[in-house]
Amino acid sequence: MTFTFISALYLLALLSPIVIAEQKYFYIYDWPKALRDVYPPPGAVLHPKASYDHEFYENDGFGKTLDRSQGLFATWQFSLFKNLMARLRVSEFRTLDSTKASTFIIPYDMGVHSFIDHKSGKVRLASPHGWDAIQLLKREKRKNKHVWKHRGHDHFAIFSLIGFQYVGIGTKTFFQKICNNCSALTIETTPFHIAQPGRSRKYWYAVPYPSSFHWCEGINGYPWQVQPAGTRDITAIFIGSIMTKTPKSTQLRRQLSKDCKARSEQECQWHTTAHACTGIQGNVTSPVLLYKRTKFCLAPTGDSFTRKSLFDSYLAGCIPVIFARMSLSMYSWHISPEELAATSVFIPREKILSGKTNFMDVLTDISESKILEMQIAIEKIGFRLQYSVVPDSHRESSSDIDEVNANGMRKTWRPPQADAVDVIIDRILNRNTIEPINGFSDEVFENLQDGQLEFMKNEWMAVHATSEQVEEKIKEIVG
């Protein structure tokens, strides 16, 4: 009886149709290079107050190579578009046939173009290419109606700035007039993952800031790997400015600086830099390499909740010390709540501001065994927090890549492990990411904006809220 029953099940299994999940692909619009290469051209005379350096242009936007053996590059904090697009162009999940795509990528570096002049690097609030992007997307809609069957809800824009930074009128109009339903990827988002009024009505997702550390060919080990005992001879470090555009952040940094400077150099080092957007430059003696000698890297809030150096510290294997959970919780695609707790130290900023807590006392109370445990946890997530450098033979600047692609012979490449881009690709091809496919109703979107404003006004929530608490609040509103 048992044999007959099992045989029947086996026969049923043989006769049942095999359901194979349909592979999904993304499509990158074929737009003029001027929209995706908005950095001032090499050799151009830069404005004296430019927030840009020609070092950032090299290696297709990964920046000048500082030390290949350590994976260290002069990477601009606003290079998300270039770093991400370099990998998307050679992904096996990219299709050159728009009819096969479930997700569409807008190839316009709108954030950088709104931030600096594409000829001089001068900071400005304009975006003349935005008008071209509007006409190009309108043309795509007319020529290939299938790309707009969801009215833009399956489209993604890449915004290399923080999600609530002001943009030029061309880019603002691009969102308002034609890409109002597009989702966006940004280096820093808002608590409820929505843009400020006047931009798209979909989610704006936070993905890691481009760090100065990358996997690349010729790297000798990974910078985020656990190092031999005694290598990290500095307990804590901060590299950055004291002054910020936010009074509470400036007050926090002043107190941290005071507490740090009261200790020996082996215990704590405070390196004050100018309040600028140019990041690390120059040779391999850059202070960022001090992160590799340090156990804890301070990541206080600044002009916003997070900063590029937070990811520099992670990828140097240095345990970040955060003073608001949102500094990391917004990156839920790449860091789970459990991983956040296992790889960082959280000290509420109000405890520092009240003078009741000295951060060095907190850090020196952490045992060596606990520190090692956290370093091991960082090593496990490190690869997926960085953007791997595409080999020369596969870059857009490669002499034969256009010819290869024109002949339909895709030149694909992926790093030895899943990196930040692999996580992003998995998400943007997931229909749940772009739900609701028809967008939010006016009432729901207004409630999201009101809820976010209420959240930001609540100091305790802004500092203490976990990603789970934020997501629960969003679900209550969206339903």
Side-chain angles (χ1 to χ4, degrees), residues 235-278:
T235 302
I237 196 170
F238 174 80
I239 303 173
S241 64
I242 290 182
M243 295 299 297
T244 73
K245 296 177 181 178
T246 309
K248 279 192 176 179
S249 294
T250 299
Q251 186 182 354
L252 172 64
R253 293 186 179 202
R254 282 176 176 158
Q255 186 60 49
L256 294 173
S257 173
K258 178 182 176 182
D259 293 342
C260 177
K261 291 176 179 178
R263 305 285 181 136
S264 68
E265 278 212 352
Q266 187 172 355
E267 288 181 298
C268 190
Q269 293 190 17
W270 189 277
H271 296 265
T272 301
T273 64
H275 184 244
C277 299
T278 48

Side-chain angles (χ1 to χ4, degrees), residues 29-47:
Y29 286 116
D30 185 19
W31 289 2
K33 185 179 179 181
L35 273 77
R36 63 181 188 271
D37 189 6
V38 298
Y39 290 16
V45 177
L46 298 179
H47 189 275

Side-chain angles (χ1 to χ4, degrees), residues 198-217:
R199 298 190 193 168
S200 72
R201 294 162 54 90
K202 295 288 283 189
Y203 287 125
W204 283 51
Y205 296 102
V207 297
Y209 270 80
S211 166
S212 297
F213 292 103
H214 306 266
W215 180 92
C216 62
E217 289 187 330

Side-chain angles (χ1 to χ4, degrees), residues 165-185:
Q165 196 154 338
Y166 289 115
V167 298
I169 187 64
T171 293
K172 185 174 182 179
T173 305
F174 174 75
F175 278 120
Q176 290 179 332
K177 298 297 184 183
I178 195 168
C179 211
N180 199 237
N181 295 329
C182 299
S183 299
L185 306 174

Side-chain angles (χ1 to χ4, degrees), residues 35-261:
L35 273 77
R36 63 181 188 271
D37 189 6
V38 298
Y39 290 16
V45 177
L46 298 179
H47 189 275
K49 294 184 179 180
S51 287
Y52 173 82
D53 190 275
H54 285 308
E55 288 185 352
F56 302 147
Y57 194 92
E58 297 183 32
N59 291 307
D60 267 4
F62 285 95
K64 178 182 177 181
T65 304
L66 300 180
D67 187 343
R68 184 168 288 272
S69 68
Q70 299 193 63
L72 184 62
F73 293 77
T75 304
W76 196 21
Q77 65 178 338
F78 300 139
S79 65
L80 174 66
F81 179 90
K82 286 214 168 194
N83 289 187
L84 181 51
M85 287 296 291
R87 285 274 285 105
L88 291 178
R89 280 194 293 266
V90 294
S91 169
E92 65 266 42
F93 299 107
R94 177 190 177 189
T95 178
L96 302 181
D97 182 352
S98 61
T99 64
K100 296 179 180 178
S102 61
T103 298
F104 298 84
I105 307 296
I106 304 291
Y108 167 37
D109 194 354
M110 58 186 67
V112 168
H113 189 53
S114 290
F115 180 57
I116 61 169
D117 181 79
H118 54 288
K119 296 179 180 179
S120 69
K122 180 183 178 182
V123 175
R124 55 92 187 268
L125 192 60
S127 50
H129 292 348
W131 306 106
D132 296 328
I134 293 171
Q135 296 307 314
L136 286 164
L137 194 51
K138 283 183 176 179
R139 187 187 69 184
E140 298 286 357
K141 289 168 56 179
R142 290 194 301 267
K143 184 175 67 174
N144 301 305
K145 295 188 182 301
H146 61 271
V147 306
W148 210 249
K149 63 183 178 182
H150 294 302
R151 297 179 294 113
H153 286 288
D154 47 8
H155 283 53
F156 279 85
I158 303 170
F159 194 75
S160 298
L161 308 181
I162 60 178
F164 38 89
Q165 196 154 338
Y166 289 115
V167 298
I169 187 64
T171 293
K172 185 174 182 179
T173 305
F174 174 75
F175 278 120
Q176 290 179 332
K177 298 297 184 183
I178 195 168
C179 211
N180 199 237
N181 295 329
C182 299
S183 299
L185 306 174
T186 177
I187 54 175
E188 188 171 345
T189 190
T190 55
F192 285 14
H193 320 306
I194 57 172
Q196 62 185 41
R199 298 190 193 168
S200 72
R201 294 162 54 90
K202 295 288 283 189
Y203 287 125
W204 283 51
Y205 296 102
V207 297
Y209 270 80
S211 166
S212 297
F213 292 103
H214 306 266
W215 180 92
C216 62
E217 289 187 330
I219 194 171
N220 183 19
Y222 303 151
W224 51 90
Q225 288 179 317
V226 177
Q227 298 181 12
T231 304
R232 297 186 182 275
D233 56 344
I234 304 170
T235 302
I237 196 170
F238 174 80
I239 303 173
S241 64
I242 290 182
M243 295 299 297
T244 73
K245 296 177 181 178
T246 309
K248 279 192 176 179
S249 294
T250 299
Q251 186 182 354
L252 172 64
R253 293 186 179 202
R254 282 176 176 158
Q255 186 60 49
L256 294 173
S257 173
K258 178 182 176 182
D259 293 342
C260 177
K261 291 176 179 178

Side-chain angles (χ1 to χ4, degrees), residues 20-36:
I20 300 175
E22 180 184 1
Q23 178 59 60
K24 294 184 177 181
Y25 298 93
F26 63 83
Y27 177 79
I28 303 173
Y29 286 116
D30 185 19
W31 289 2
K33 185 179 179 181
L35 273 77
R36 63 181 188 271

